[in-house]
Amino acid sequence: MAEETQVDYSLSNSDTLTKYKTAARIAHQVLETVTGWCVEGEKILTICERGDRLLDEEVGKVYKGKKISKGVAHPTTVSPSSFVTPYTPLASDPADAAVVLKPGEVVKIQLGAQIDGFGAIVGDTIIIPSKENKDDEIPGREADLLLATHYANELLLRLMIPPGLMSAGSEEEKKKATSEKPITQSKITQLLEKVVKSYDCNLVENTTSWVFERNEIEGKKKIVLAPSEGQKGEGVPEVGEAWGVEVGVSLGSGKVKTLENRPTLHRRTTTTYGLKRPSSRQILSEIVKKFGTFPFSLRQLDDERAAKVGVVECVRSNVVRQYEVIADKDGAAVSRLFTTIAITKNGLMLLSAPPSPNLSKFKTDKKITDAEILKILEQPIAKSTSTKSKSKKKKKKPAKKAVEEESEESSEED
């Protein structure tokens, strides 16, 4: 009898990386389109429904005829100003279904695709166009919020690079750098707090980044920013891993509360349990078939009203996890970014990342002055692997340089 071939699903397998990149390309395309739909007066429900249809369409165009799973890694969610968690209302809940976007509102968009269990999720924060930002300029506290989130994200990405990975110099110097202890999670929170407080903002408590595995977006390792009592991270990022990196920043205290809105975002767990109700078993069967262990919205199931009933026993029995709707405790505006990365021997590869903002559009007199932070922001996230591509492509400015130029532009206008 022929021996079963063991499939290598690690990042060292080029097929794995290709699947991640394909999923990421789809996520980017859909994010760009969904962002364009986010205008004053548009219903959040309509945007989410259209976004999910587009995700399905784009996923259907790749790996045709291949016997692999593919689909949505995260449904389209559009979260209003003070909401922290991804929000995806149901048509059968009239109050939530009627919610529309308001001019000047801070809105978070998150979605993702998966190919063969390798998910790429991306999240961005935008300001709904209004008279105050009609020329795409972001004034006042909204500028502070988005800049704080942008630079906190840039800093976190650099802090996730394993010690010594980007070091140059002699072999002895590289060996010394590699032997350094990884940065602690408490130190990560401390440094990110310095960034956001430069803009008079706060980190959202318990914002969590997870290691990604095949068919799993909440793996064995996690980084928890601004942890509340009893919460803590586990493990450190290493070469060969994919991560979902999240940053959340608030104009308020950063403390959160659970809202009374119906939880509509769920995902299957690895727990097995003999469900008693036929409706529950039917819903679980549909969940397994359509989404595997990736998050989904109840509105994506065939019968939304039946799903609302059948999912109750699934959640109670812990075979399905529900994500509570959480918001800023003070009702303050919250910004979030979500990036899927691969850690390679050459540094970080941004698989799916929010678009780089035009920093000249943010009008504020606040800036980062901490020397330690600015030094870290100056560091690249990956080694240059080709001198040819270097000359052809426009060189990306270090994050520190962007901070300085942004400050100069603000002072010139004063």
Side-chain angles (χ1 to χ4, degrees):
M1 192 169 86
E3 287 186 18
E4 226 177 274
T5 307
Q6 189 72 30
V7 181
D8 177 15
Y9 289 118
S10 72
L11 285 176
S12 58
N13 183 347
S14 60
D15 285 346
T16 297
L17 206 49
T18 298
K19 288 167 184 173
Y20 266 124
K21 288 179 177 178
T22 303
R25 177 176 54 77
I26 292 169
H28 278 140
Q29 287 175 347
V30 178
L31 175 65
E32 183 179 1
T33 303
V34 169
T35 300
W37 293 337
C38 291
V39 295
E40 178 185 351
E42 190 65 56
K43 286 184 178 180
I44 289 178
L45 172 62
T46 303
I47 297 169
C48 291
E49 288 175 334
R50 293 175 69 190
D52 286 344
R53 283 197 296 270
L54 187 56
L55 277 170
D56 287 335
E57 288 171 15
E58 294 302 321
V59 167
K61 295 175 183 177
V62 299
Y63 286 88
K64 288 183 177 180
K66 304 285 185 182
K67 290 184 178 180
I68 59 172
S69 67
K70 56 181 181 176
V72 174
H74 193 286
T76 306
T77 57
V78 178
S79 306
S81 186
S82 65
F83 283 43
V84 172
T85 48
Y87 177 64
T88 169
L90 303 181
S92 55
D93 290 338
D96 287 347
V99 176
V100 298
L101 297 177
K102 303 177 183 68
E105 187 172 16
V106 178
V107 171
K108 284 76 64 182
I109 307 167
Q110 187 166 313
L111 52 86
Q114 64 90 6
I115 305 294
D116 198 18
F118 299 107
I121 299 172
V122 64
D124 192 19
T125 296
I126 64 170
I127 308 292
I128 301 303
S130 66
K131 290 178 182 177
E132 285 71 28
N133 63 355
K134 59 183 177 181
D135 297 320
D136 290 334
E137 290 189 352
I138 308 295
R141 294 297 284 145
E142 286 77 18
D144 294 336
L145 178 63
L146 295 192
L147 283 171
T149 312
H150 168 69
Y151 286 119
N153 187 56
E154 290 290 320
L155 186 69
L156 179 56
L157 290 172
R158 285 158 175 78
L159 296 177
M160 291 186 69
I161 300 171
L165 191 62
M166 301 295 293
S167 61
S170 65
E171 288 303 316
E172 189 177 332
E173 288 171 326
K174 289 179 183 177
K175 191 175 180 180
K176 184 181 177 183
T178 306
S179 65
E180 289 179 7
K181 286 186 177 179
I183 187 169
T184 63
Q185 297 208 15
S186 58
K187 178 66 172 178
I188 291 175
T189 290
Q190 181 189 343
L191 290 172
L192 264 67
E193 281 178 339
K194 284 185 180 180
V195 170
V196 300
K197 287 183 185 298
S198 300
Y199 295 94
D200 198 17
C201 297
N202 285 290
L203 291 174
V204 174
E205 65 176 341
N206 298 326
T207 301
T208 306
S209 300
W210 295 88
V211 70
F212 278 10
E213 296 163 6
R214 185 169 180 257
N215 294 314
E216 180 57 78
I217 61 165
E218 294 181 4
K220 295 172 184 173
K221 295 182 182 180
K222 61 181 178 179
I223 294 171
V224 182
L225 301 178
S228 60
E229 191 175 347
Q231 298 292 321
K232 66 174 185 176
E234 294 177 45
V236 296
E238 295 180 84
V239 172
E241 294 176 342
W243 280 74
V245 183
E246 184 171 3
V247 167
V249 180
S250 170
L251 285 178
S253 65
K255 301 299 181 184
V256 300
K257 63 181 179 181
T258 301
L259 299 181
E260 293 180 359
N261 301 61
R262 178 194 301 277
T264 63
L265 190 67
H266 297 73
R267 70 184 291 255
R268 183 169 66 91
T269 68
T270 54
T271 300
T272 55
Y273 180 83
L275 297 171
K276 296 178 175 63
R277 296 172 63 96
S279 60
S280 304
R281 293 197 295 271
Q282 185 179 341
I283 290 299
L284 181 60
S285 176
E286 186 182 353
I287 291 169
V288 171
K289 184 179 178 182
K290 283 187 174 179
F291 311 107
T293 53
F294 287 99
F296 62 92
S297 167
L298 292 180
R299 61 180 165 71
Q300 292 175 291
L301 297 170
D302 290 341
D303 187 332
E304 186 179 294
R305 291 183 184 277
K308 288 159 73 173
V309 175
V311 80
V312 173
E313 187 187 1
C314 295
V315 171
R316 193 170 56 237
S317 305
N318 197 35
V319 295
V320 169
R321 174 189 170 186
Q322 72 178 20
Y323 292 85
E324 302 294 336
V325 183
I326 295 172
D328 185 90
K329 194 175 183 179
D330 311 315
V334 169
S335 173
R336 277 194 306 110
L337 297 177
F338 196 105
T339 309
T340 302
I341 66 169
I343 306 176
T344 74
K345 63 181 181 181
N346 293 315
L348 299 192
M349 180 183 293
L350 304 184
L351 296 168
S352 57
S356 299
N358 182 348
L359 299 176
S360 67
K361 298 290 185 180
F362 297 95
K363 304 303 175 186
T364 179
D365 57 357
K366 299 181 180 67
K367 62 179 180 179
I368 300 168
T369 57
D370 186 278
E372 182 183 14
I373 301 294
L374 292 172
K375 185 178 180 182
I376 298 171
L377 288 174
E378 196 174 35
Q379 298 168 6
I381 61 170
K383 299 173 186 174
S384 176
T385 54
S386 170
T387 52
K388 189 183 285 186
S389 62
K390 223 175 168 185
S391 59
K392 281 186 178 179
K393 292 180 182 177
K394 188 177 178 183
K395 192 175 179 184
K396 187 178 178 183
K397 296 171 186 172
K400 178 188 173 184
K401 184 70 176 172
V403 174
E404 292 169 349
E405 290 186 3
E406 164 216 325
S407 304
E408 287 170 10
E409 285 165 0
S410 295
S411 59
E412 283 172 9
E413 291 167 6
D414 292 341

